[in-house]
Amino acid sequence: MADNSTLIAETGKSILADSSITDSRITETSKDNIFTRSASDGEAEEMPQVETRVVLVQEAAKCEELLKALEEIKVPYIRTDTVDEYQDSDSLEFETVFVVADFQGSVFNNLYKAECRILGPPIVLQCARKGEPLPFSCRPLYCGSMMDLVLCFTGFRKKEELVKLVTLAHHMGGIIRRDFGSKVTHLVANSTQGDKFRVAVSLGTPIMKAEWIYKSWEKRNDIDFCAAAEEFRKEFKVPPFQDCMLSFLGFSDDEKKNMEEMTEMQGGQHLPVGDERCTHLIVEENIVKDLPFEPSQNLYVVKQEWFWGSIQMDARAGESMYLFEKPDNSELKTSVSQLSLNTPNSNRKRRRLRETLAQLTRETDMSPFPPRKRPSAEHSLSMGSLLDISNTPESSVTHGETPKSCAKPSKNSTPLPPKQSARWQVAKELYQTESNYVDILTTIIQVFQMPLEKEGQLGGPILASEEIKTIFGSIPDILDVHIKIKEDLEDLMINWTESKSIGDVILKYSRDLLKTYPPFVNFFEMSKETITKCEKQKPRFHAFLKINQAKPECGRQSLAELLIRPVQRLPSVALLLNDLRKHTAEDNPDKATLEKAIESLKEVMTHINEDKRKTEAQRQIFDVVYEVDGCPANLLSSHRSLIQRLETVALGDDLCDRGEQVTLFLFNDCLEIARKRHKVIGGFKSPHGHTRPPACLKHVVLMPLSQIKKVLDIRETEDCHKAFALVVRPPTEQTNLLFSFQITTEEPPKEDWLKMLCRHVANTICKADTENLIYTTDPDSIEVNTKDMDSTLSRASRAIRKTSKKVTRAFSFSKTPKRALRRALMAHNSADGNNFCPTSDSYLGGRLASTSSLAGIHSPSLINLPSVFEKRSHTLSRSTTHLI
């Protein structure tokens, strides 16, 4: 059957009729295929058992899988090409069920008109898999892709299209409702207008396109397919701006471009301001005071909050809540202002205004936010409201409760000392900044964190729980500590005397500060990176930030700008305590207490910095592990830190082929050597869905620094540039190995790199003379040159060697197993009385000694170190003299 074929629907029935009565018939099943009927007057009359008989028609009779499924559920079946003799649905002996592979054609039409029970092969196979009886349905049922889904339709004007969609939904087990109610699971919409659409948006019901039903029908033969699967359903959701033509007024060029891109992503179109086809005009209410034209009745003039709100909840929001209202008549405003300027009392009003501003200035209000870029008289924070804690609505605690501090008298109502001392002024500033800091933390939690963690969000969760935890970290714990500090400082300010000890308050909570701040400060950079990544990848989160960052309590600051406040708070408190100590008399008991409090804060900050340094070092090591494929797990160690990364090219054939790109990772006690991968494998995906980039390096060797005996600084010549070599003596070798490299980057300089390497080697072997580790030598003495390293001929030669190795390995009939080589090597060392080091695998990364080395034949890589320096003019093969 063609997927887009027209299906037959009986015109005598109402397709959209309320099926609350027939729904129960659709879902009725008889576990043993036995139907009973209750007799009247409480007397039960036994009815004869009716046997279910399955008739496989035409193509269905040829399906072996279907025959096997019916045998598993022990249902008798008949195979036939004609159904004339089985259409008697009134038979008392059999309950006949017809299985038809194609829900179109004369056979299906005749069975449908005769009101026979018709099933499709997928629903039979699905019942057999679950061990369930065949379902009883008054309508033809092909598959269970929409089983238990309740659908409602809106916006369809063509009856033929609606009949086809309803019939397909019934064939897949769906239930249809005429009226939208709480039991409706999906709304299929052809328009974003109407009451049904608005109710679905308010209830968070998924709103789907008609293509959702068509595509589900195309997958009807897949018994594992479910039309309600999240990944499949996402493709066919009605976008927020479907059928919308948007224009933007009052925005900067960058903002306008961003909003136009978001419009296209959300299924809408954008037009210039004034276009007659426009359906919505989005206005920046803080900039635009009047419209440049008279809008038509069909044009919605809305604030930008409607735009971002629609994206956030993934559905078109109602315009009535976001309509842009024009300000009062400008002519009336002008006349009033002129009248006020010309009245005799105008000078008196100006004088009163200046006095008010001067009074506010004298009170040294400490606003938690800088002056707003776009001041709005409607939403602006008054300076007095920030100074008076009882007038700050955002000072509630995390769960929306009224904080205890609001129930206490504010500091403005506290009788001031007759003479305000400098110590009192600093203490007041400390309390004001602490109060503002608590307000900021409360805003972060109430405006950002709690809405993101709220269950039952319209359109589903905006962020995953792991992402929310990464962004906000220990902010709630920090807030709890500072609420207590604020309350104690407020008690001091209300009952102020010069002998009150502020240092005791800080000392009281120093342990709590040490416990709560490091987890947040250490991962603050990761928090910012997560915000940036989610804002780019998730339009709903971007819209969420746009809406909430525009709120007055955020002071026009972004979430990242607000989250940096905990990083800045402790240094700010330390400065205020220093200032307070300067204005505290020597005989005041708080003098010594303040010094202890300052020292405790320094310890907290030192611990944070040290902990942050360790955390960053651990993150760098993890990055190396993820970047290098096959990196040994023992590289991860609490005492290890990454010192330097160096990009080089191999000049010898020992570690890898000559000319291959090699990366050196210098740690404080070891050297990880990795080469560039020839074939990059796929990225690593974590259980939380975060995808890491593929490993671009391949592990070669993890070398302890104690095995580096000498560092050779190779002189610069015409044929050799920026080259150096390492003389290494592994515990499993009787001779020294030479590894030579050429530095390919400008930073760090070769001299600095060699000194850094020698310094850490000396620290590892507990030697103070690092200079003795560096030797200067000529490139000819060790047969090293960098000429033509990147030429076409050199690259072709490397490719030929790699191909030759692959072919040799593929056709080799005398391969020596690695385990056999390892056992032979162990036996050889034991016979010589040498102890075999079990960590040799960590050194050579699984690279075993060649058979020539086992036979005692010296290869060019197995050189004798003293011979290199005594006879530089001779070749390595002729070097036999040893320096003593």
Side-chain angles (χ1 to χ4, degrees):
M1 181 185 74
D3 294 334
N4 58 353
S5 60
T6 304
L7 302 177
I8 304 299
E10 192 173 357
T11 57
K13 298 181 180 180
S14 175
I15 297 292
L16 292 178
D18 193 346
S19 57
S20 58
I21 298 177
T22 59
D23 290 345
S24 60
R25 296 181 60 196
I26 294 176
T27 57
E28 267 184 26
T29 57
S30 176
K31 193 167 185 178
D32 300 319
N33 295 315
I34 299 176
F35 299 88
T36 60
R37 183 178 300 172
S38 300
S40 59
D41 298 330
E43 296 179 2
E45 180 182 353
E46 293 186 2
M47 299 296 294
Q49 293 185 358
V50 179
E51 183 180 358
T52 300
R53 178 179 61 182
V54 174
V55 178
L56 303 176
V57 183
Q58 295 178 350
E59 295 297 328
K62 302 177 183 179
C63 181
E64 296 296 334
E65 186 180 3
L66 190 60
L67 299 178
K68 185 178 179 180
L70 290 172
E71 292 175 357
E72 289 179 358
I73 58 177
K74 300 179 180 180
V75 175
Y77 60 87
I78 300 174
R79 294 186 286 184
T80 182
D81 290 334
T82 60
V83 295
D84 297 337
E85 56 180 311
Y86 304 107
Q87 288 189 22
D88 185 10
S89 59
D90 297 330
S91 174
L92 299 178
E93 298 179 2
F94 297 100
E95 175 69 25
T96 305
V97 179
F98 295 90
V99 178
V100 182
D102 198 352
F103 273 29
Q104 70 173 357
S106 59
V107 175
F108 173 77
N109 294 339
N110 294 333
L111 292 174
Y112 183 74
K113 291 178 180 179
E115 297 185 356
C116 298
R117 288 181 62 187
I118 308 174
L119 298 179
I123 192 66
V124 177
L125 295 174
Q126 189 174 8
C127 291
R129 174 184 289 185
K130 296 181 179 179
E132 298 175 351
L134 297 178
F136 181 86
S137 174
C138 63
R139 299 187 181 91
L141 180 62
Y142 189 85
C143 63
S145 301
M146 289 190 175
M147 196 68 73
D148 300 327
L149 301 187
V150 183
L151 277 59
C152 187
F153 292 82
T154 183
F156 292 90
R157 302 300 180 188
K158 297 180 180 180
K159 183 178 179 181
E160 296 79 8
E161 182 183 8
L162 182 60
V163 168
K164 184 175 181 179
L165 290 170
V166 171
T167 305
L168 289 178
H170 280 151
H171 289 347
M172 291 182 285
I175 303 171
I176 310 301
R177 300 282 187 183
R178 176 189 293 273
D179 300 322
F180 191 91
S182 58
K183 293 184 179 180
V184 174
T185 59
H186 296 79
L187 176 67
V188 183
N190 196 38
S191 173
T192 56
Q193 303 290 341
D195 296 336
K196 291 182 181 179
F197 186 88
R198 293 294 169 216
V199 175
V201 171
S202 62
L203 294 179
T205 303
I207 305 174
M208 313 302 298
K209 300 178 182 178
E211 287 79 6
W212 175 57
I213 296 179
Y214 291 131
K215 291 295 183 180
S216 298
W217 181 249
E218 291 180 5
K219 296 177 177 291
R220 62 190 178 277
N221 291 316
D222 185 358
I223 61 177
D224 295 321
F225 170 71
C226 178
E230 183 68 21
E231 292 299 323
F232 177 77
R233 192 184 65 183
K234 277 182 180 180
E235 302 178 16
F236 306 102
K237 289 190 68 175
V238 174
F241 300 136
Q242 178 173 300
D243 304 329
C244 294
M245 306 281 188
L246 309 183
S247 297
F248 303 94
L249 180 63
F251 299 94
S252 64
D253 293 340
D254 293 338
E255 289 176 329
K256 184 179 178 181
K257 182 179 179 181
N258 179 33
M259 297 175 81
E260 289 176 349
E261 292 175 354
M262 297 293 292
T263 300
E264 295 177 356
M265 290 175 56
Q266 302 300 323
Q269 301 180 34
H270 54 87
L271 298 171
V273 175
D275 195 302
E276 296 179 354
R277 298 171 295 170
C278 182
T279 60
H280 295 75
L281 177 62
I282 317 299
V283 178
E284 167 55 282
E285 64 274 14
N286 296 314
I287 298 296
V288 177
K289 301 304 178 185
D290 198 5
L291 300 179
F293 61 92
E294 187 66 26
S296 62
Q297 294 182 353
N298 298 328
L299 179 64
Y300 289 106
V301 183
V302 293
K303 303 175 183 178
Q304 62 171 329
E305 190 175 355
W306 173 85
F307 178 84
W308 298 116
S310 299
I311 298 177
Q312 177 184 332
M313 62 183 182
D314 204 17
R316 177 178 165 184
E319 291 83 1
S320 58
M321 297 176 57
Y322 305 96
L323 293 177
F324 173 74
E325 298 179 358
K326 294 183 180 180
D328 296 337
N329 194 315
S330 58
E331 296 181 358
L332 179 61
K333 283 188 173 183
T334 304
S335 61
V336 172
S337 61
Q338 290 178 352
L339 178 63
S340 62
L341 289 175
N342 295 330
T343 54
N345 295 330
S346 59
N347 293 331
R348 186 184 310 164
K349 292 180 179 179
R350 290 186 190 137
R351 192 184 313 112
R352 188 180 305 163
L353 178 60
R354 286 196 299 268
E355 292 175 355
T356 303
L357 293 176
Q359 176 65 24
L360 290 173
T361 304
R362 283 195 299 271
E363 290 178 355
T364 62
D365 173 48
M366 303 295 294
S367 173
F369 304 109
R372 297 170 57 186
K373 298 177 182 178
R374 300 184 184 127
S376 172
E378 183 179 359
H379 299 292
S380 62
L381 288 172
S382 64
M383 300 182 73
S385 65
L386 289 174
L387 189 61
D388 188 355
I389 57 170
S390 64
N391 201 22
T392 306
E394 291 77 31
S395 59
S396 57
V397 291
T398 56
H399 300 289
E401 303 173 358
T402 304
K404 298 178 181 179
S405 59
C406 292
K408 299 180 181 180
S410 66
K411 59 182 179 296
N412 286 341
S413 61
T414 306
L416 301 180
K419 183 179 180 180
Q420 299 178 5
S421 63
R423 174 177 162 82
W424 183 90
Q425 291 284 1
V426 178
K428 180 185 177 184
E429 183 179 355
L430 176 62
Y431 169 72
Q432 288 175 343
T433 56
E434 188 67 20
S435 177
N436 293 335
Y437 179 59
V438 169
D439 292 342
I440 292 174
L441 297 181
T442 305
T443 297
I444 293 173
I445 293 176
Q446 290 188 343
V447 178
F448 294 97
Q449 183 176 1
M450 292 178 64
L452 289 173
E453 293 176 342
K454 183 180 178 182
E455 297 182 358
Q457 300 176 34
L458 295 178
I462 297 177
L463 293 180
S465 58
E466 294 83 5
E467 294 170 332
I468 298 175
K469 187 176 181 180
T470 301
I471 291 174
F472 296 99
S474 59
I475 286 288
D477 299 329
I478 295 175
L479 175 61
D480 292 339
V481 176
H482 282 275
I483 286 178
K484 298 175 183 177
I485 295 177
K486 173 191 170 184
E487 292 175 351
D488 290 356
L489 290 177
E490 186 175 357
D491 291 337
L492 290 180
M493 298 305 299
I494 292 175
N495 306 300
W496 176 258
T497 59
E498 289 296 322
S499 60
K500 291 289 184 181
S501 177
I502 293 179
D504 286 337
V505 176
I506 305 301
L507 289 174
K508 180 180 177 181
Y509 299 102
S510 59
R511 291 184 176 273
D512 295 330
L513 296 175
L514 184 62
K515 182 179 179 181
T516 57
Y517 268 90
F520 180 82
V521 177
N522 291 343
F523 296 97
F524 174 68
E525 294 298 328
M526 186 182 298
S527 174
K528 290 199 304 181
E529 293 172 3
T530 304
I531 293 174
T532 303
K533 182 191 70 174
C534 292
E535 193 172 3
K536 290 180 179 179
Q537 298 178 354
K538 302 185 177 184
R540 294 182 60 206
F541 181 63
H542 178 71
F544 173 82
L545 293 182
K546 284 288 186 180
I547 293 173
N548 290 283
Q549 289 170 177
K551 292 182 178 179
E553 52 264 41
C554 293
R556 296 282 179 181
Q557 293 195 53
S558 66
L559 176 59
E561 291 172 338
L562 294 175
L563 286 175
I564 202 174
R565 296 303 182 91
V567 181
Q568 302 170 339
R569 181 55 186 165
L570 292 185
S572 176
V573 173
L575 292 176
L576 288 173
L577 292 181
N578 270 318
D579 198 12
L580 190 66
R581 183 184 59 179
K582 293 177 182 178
H583 295 90
T584 302
E586 293 294 335
D587 57 348
N588 194 321
D590 196 29
K591 184 81 171 182
T593 309
L594 283 173
E595 293 179 355
K596 294 180 181 179
I598 294 171
E599 289 300 321
S600 68
L601 276 184
K602 288 182 179 179
E603 291 178 4
V604 172
M605 290 186 286
T606 301
H607 179 80
I608 291 175
N609 292 334
E610 182 65 20
D611 203 24
K612 183 179 180 181
R613 186 188 64 79
K614 291 181 180 179
T615 304
E616 290 297 327
Q618 293 298 316
R619 282 190 60 188
Q620 290 176 348
I621 297 178
F622 273 104
D623 292 339
V624 173
V625 172
Y626 283 117
E627 186 178 2
V628 179
D629 182 34
C631 187
N634 58 4
L635 180 65
L636 297 173
S637 177
S638 59
H639 72 277
R640 185 167 291 139
S641 59
L642 179 64
I643 306 300
Q644 183 69 53
R645 172 180 179 150
L646 186 68
E647 301 294 336
T648 66
V649 172
L651 299 180
D653 295 327
D654 303 300
L655 293 173
C656 51
D657 293 335
R658 185 176 187 273
E660 275 200 280
Q661 298 181 18
V662 177
T663 303
L664 306 181
F665 296 95
L666 175 62
F667 294 90
N668 58 325
D669 62 342
C670 63
L671 182 68
E672 165 66 18
I673 303 178
R675 63 172 176 84
K676 186 178 180 180
R677 289 188 65 96
H678 304 305
K679 184 184 295 184
V680 179
I681 59 176
F684 168 76
K685 190 170 184 180
S686 70
H688 305 313
H690 303 294
T691 304
R692 289 187 173 271
C696 58
L697 300 175
K698 178 69 175 177
H699 169 73
V700 176
V701 57
L702 180 61
M703 180 192 306
L705 295 184
S706 58
Q707 296 181 6
I708 300 178
K709 303 305 178 182
K710 297 294 178 183
V711 177
L712 305 184
D713 182 4
I714 302 175
R715 291 190 179 97
E716 297 290 319
T717 63
E718 294 182 359
D719 295 336
C720 189
H721 301 284
K722 302 172 68 173
F724 71 96
L726 304 178
V727 179
V728 181
R729 181 70 176 270
T732 58
E733 297 290 342
Q734 296 181 358
T735 55
N736 295 316
L737 303 179
L738 180 69
F739 301 145
S740 54
F741 308 92
Q742 180 190 17
I743 302 176
T744 59
T745 57
E746 297 297 330
E747 294 293 335
K750 184 176 74 169
E751 183 180 358
D752 296 344
W753 158 256
L754 296 179
K755 288 181 179 180
M756 183 189 310
L757 175 61
C758 291
R759 184 171 66 253
H760 286 89
V761 171
N763 292 338
T764 303
I765 62 178
C766 299
K767 281 190 176 182
D769 50 344
T770 59
E771 297 297 332
N772 293 337
L773 293 174
I774 300 181
Y775 283 77
T776 303
T777 183
D778 295 324
D780 295 337
S781 62
I782 56 175
E783 296 183 346
V784 169
N785 71 83
T786 61
K787 187 177 181 181
D788 299 330
M789 286 298 298
D790 198 32
S791 64
T792 304
L793 182 61
S794 177
R795 290 195 296 269
S797 176
R798 290 197 298 271
I800 293 173
R801 286 199 303 269
K802 292 173 186 175
T803 306
S804 176
K805 287 183 178 180
K806 292 180 181 178
V807 173
T808 302
R809 285 195 296 265
F811 291 95
S812 176
F813 295 98
S814 59
K815 296 179 181 178
T816 305
K818 290 184 178 180
R819 292 183 179 178
L821 285 176
R822 188 177 289 113
R823 286 195 297 267
L825 183 61
M826 293 175 62
H828 176 71
N829 288 338
S830 300
D832 293 342
N834 297 328
N835 294 327
F836 178 75
C837 180
T839 62
S840 60
D841 289 342
S842 66
Y843 164 65
L844 286 178
R847 288 179 61 98
L848 297 171
S850 63
T851 55
S852 62
S853 64
L854 291 176
I857 301 175
H858 295 280
S859 66
S861 62
L862 301 177
I863 64 170
N864 195 306
L865 174 63
S867 65
V868 174
F869 301 104
E870 185 167 330
K871 295 187 177 182
R872 296 179 178 178
S873 60
H874 297 280
T875 60
L876 292 177
S877 60
R878 298 178 180 177
S879 299
T880 56
T881 306
H882 297 264
L883 285 179
I884 301 175

